[in-house]
Amino acid sequence: MAHMLQLDDVHTYYGNIHALKGVSLEVERGEIVTLIGSNGAGKSTTLRTISAIQRPREGRVLFEDRELQQMPPHDVVKLGIAQAPEGRHVFARMSVYENLQMGAFSRPGVSITADVARVYDLFPRLKERRTQKAGTLSGGEQQMLAIARALMAHPVLLLLDEPSMGLSPILTEQIFAIIADINAQGTTVLLVEQNAQMALNVAHRGYVLQTGRIILSDTAANLAANQQVRQAYLGEI
Amino acid sequence: MRRIRRVSLVDIILLAIRVVVAIGVVIGTYATLSAGKLTWEQWRDLLIFGVAQGSVYALIALGYTLVYGVLLMINFAHGDVFMFGGMTAFFVADALGSSGFLDANPIVGMAIVLVVAMVSSAAVAILLERIAYRPLRRAPRLVPLITAIGASLFISNSVRGLYGEQVKAYPQLKILVGKFEIFGVGILKTHVVVIVSALVIMAALYWFVEKTRTGRAMRAISEDKDTAALMGINVDRTISITFAVGGMLAGAAGVLYAIVFNQVHWFMGFLPGIKAFTAAVLGGIGNIIGAMLGGLTLGVLESIGPNLLLSGLGVPSPNQLRDVVAFSVLVLVLIFRPYGILGRPENR
Ligand SMILES: Nc1ncnc2c1ncn2[C@@H]1O[C@H](COP(=O)(O)OP(=O)(O)OP(=O)(O)O)[C@@H](O)[C@H]1O
Ligand SMILES: [Mg+2]
């Protein structure tokens, strides 16, 4: 079979703004692939296009040989693609537990007890706060909840948009350890990160996106060693 | 930098309004009560009538608030959705009534009438969303507002043409004539039935929104549509369901309205619709408990208010001013607490 996920010359617009100018990339089963790039490069737009929240004007998005670009977003979720969006977007007026229930929405009629126990294991803090309204959680706790909520969907492909945003260095370490862990248990991950160093450490391969175009793609190790990447994204002079 | 904001003309006007309203309320109430215009029994009956009509407002108000919750839009055709259910069910009620079925099987008969009203209102609400609002989902917010007014005229005039212009009298049930003795107080049976039915329906709605999967989907959409879609929620379908639920409540309200006021007509959606909208704003638009409280509050204010405030001042027929009271409440709420009793100030 072909790639798990393949974007083929995808062009996405916001009105007249041409945000993705022909993005092509592949993700294979079992990989962690990272997408790095500076602000406004189009990383979030790429993930939104995969989740069909944003429709590409041209090009194709293939998942397990199915075209996603015409599907309604809820059908994309049913195929096993979950996303923890940038900026958390937890349901502020719902409790932590209800947010987790929402995460499992695509799997109706299934007991979620075991899954809830599993994410409480990964994020004990959420267990302490399970009845609290998500809007009253700290930023870091909300980020944990957003990731936990995405895991509740049992994704085969997990899209993470800047999961370390606003987290302390310790928590960031923890989140990346959890990403590696989730991946080791069989979930494929497409990871968007500002923290390129950490992302390239955990990922197998990576793409560099610049103003809507992929300008580099290589193994994570090679990208981390690449002079251009080191200067632009790893803060070297 | 100045710490103290200058007192502006607007502040003075707002303060003056508060003072005038407060003085008016105090003087009017005092004058009415000291003159002993109404007996205690009359006040009690006014209160109960207020609660009964308030329950009708509350059921309609819930439709405004549910739709506002998911679409941030005021469905100004909702009053006509209410009217349509009450009018359509009239024909069934009339047929059942003249055949004698209604008096022979009052419970089954009323259930049939209620279901017809709820289904027909829900059907209109679903069509309204599908045809008039969904194509405009991404249009500027003024556009669906104009469509809503157009749809309102469309529905009311269609009914006027197809069902006839004249006022139609609902058949009166024999078992609903007279009063129940409750704790030694005689209360009109119709009022008891209306209040109890409305409370049951509202409790069912609350349970639906809080505890069911579809209810959770509605709440998720009202917080964040894109993220709701990322959870696997079918946003379009859930919005249709929201309109359907609001329509069912409005249809039920149409029948309860007919029980309280005995009659229906093509124009009956207008005033109750606007008053229920007032109630929804009063309670905090988008807030379900708020719509219930707002409806009851407005219903009571409207029945007691004119008598309490005006009859002592020598106003000859204070009850004719009930609409004035209702809309004064709307204006005062919009001025002093635009987000309502239970609403959130930051509500977008
Ligand atoms: N809703 C929108 N409307 C208009 N333009 C948008 C919208 N969202 C994104 N854009 C534009 O599309 C381009 C790509 O944005 P995108 O959010 O994908 O960038 P990003 O790589 O995720 O950036 P960041 O690292 O800041 O999150 C930017 O130029 C942005 O201004
Ligand atoms: Mg982004």
Side-chain angles (χ1 to χ4, degrees), chain B residues 92-93 96 101-116 173 175:
Chain B
V92 178
L96 294 178
F101 181 87
L102 214 45
D103 279 318
N105 308 286
I107 307 253
V108 180
M110 282 314 290
I112 293 174
V113 172
L114 199 61
V115 168
V116 168
L173 283 174
I175 55 159

Side-chain angles (χ1 to χ4, degrees), chain A residues 48 51 53 73-74 77-78 83 85 89-94 98-99 101-108 149, chain B residues 138 210 213-214 216-217 219-235 344 347-348:
Chain A
R48 290 168 63 80
S51 285
I53 296 288
H74 55 269
V77 181
K78 286 210 186 75
Q83 182 178 159
H89 288 274
V90 296
F91 297 111
R93 306 202 290 265
M94 296 188 188
E98 280 183 310
N99 269 273
Q101 276 184 310
M102 292 314 308
F105 194 88
S106 57
R107 304 185 297 124
R149 186 179 62 180
Chain B
R138 295 187 189 279
E210 288 298 316
R213 181 177 147 81
T214 309
R216 269 198 297 280
R219 284 188 287 141
I221 288 177
S222 83
E223 288 206 40
D224 185 336
K225 274 199 204 49
D226 278 353
T227 307
L230 285 181
M231 301 296 110
I233 294 170
N234 185 336
V235 174
R344 281 169 295 272
N347 225 341
R348 305 132 296 168

Side-chain angles (χ1 to χ4, degrees), chain A residues 43-44 86 161-162 192:
Chain A
K43 306 180 295 295
S44 299
E86 181 179 0
D161 199 343
E162 307 204 12
V192 163

Side-chain angles (χ1 to χ4, degrees), chain A residues 137-231:
Chain A
L137 297 177
S138 78
E141 289 163 346
Q142 290 188 16
Q143 188 65 64
M144 295 180 212
L145 180 56
I147 297 171
R149 186 179 62 180
L151 290 177
M152 291 296 295
H154 276 199
V156 290
L157 173 61
L158 177 61
L159 311 177
L160 295 172
D161 199 343
E162 307 204 12
S164 75
M165 192 165 70
L167 299 190
S168 68
I170 295 176
L171 217 54
T172 304
E173 293 269 359
Q174 275 179 20
I175 294 280
F176 277 95
I178 286 170
I179 293 170
D181 199 41
I182 294 165
N183 176 249
Q185 290 171 31
T187 308
T188 308
V189 179
L190 178 53
L191 170 67
V192 163
E193 258 302 334
Q194 291 279 334
N195 193 332
Q197 181 73 64
M198 296 288 285
L200 290 171
N201 274 340
V202 74
H204 303 106
R205 291 190 304 115
Y207 292 86
V208 178
L209 194 60
Q210 194 178 70
T211 55
R213 289 192 177 87
I214 303 280
I215 55 159
L216 273 177
S217 81
D218 210 331
T219 63
N222 284 348
L223 284 179
N226 181 301
Q227 198 54 37
Q228 200 185 341
V229 173
R230 297 180 75 84
Q231 287 186 0

Side-chain angles (χ1 to χ4, degrees), chain B residues 28-29 31-32 37-38 42-43 46 49 53 275 300-328:
Chain B
T29 307
T32 305
K37 288 273 183 191
L38 279 81
Q42 284 172 310
W43 286 120
L46 279 178
F49 171 74
Q53 74 174 355
K275 285 178 186 166
V300 170
L301 278 179
E302 209 183 284
S303 79
I304 290 193
N307 290 292
L308 188 60
L309 304 180
L310 303 174
S311 62
L313 299 179
V315 174
S317 26
N319 273 323
Q320 297 308 317
L321 292 170
R322 50 209 299 265
D323 298 343
V324 173
V325 169
F327 294 114
S328 303

Side-chain angles (χ1 to χ4, degrees), chain B residues 55-73:
Chain B
S55 340
V56 175
Y57 293 159
L59 288 178
I60 308 173
L62 283 165
Y64 283 103
T65 253
L66 288 170
V67 165
Y68 185 85
V70 294
L71 286 183
L72 294 185
M73 159 202 164

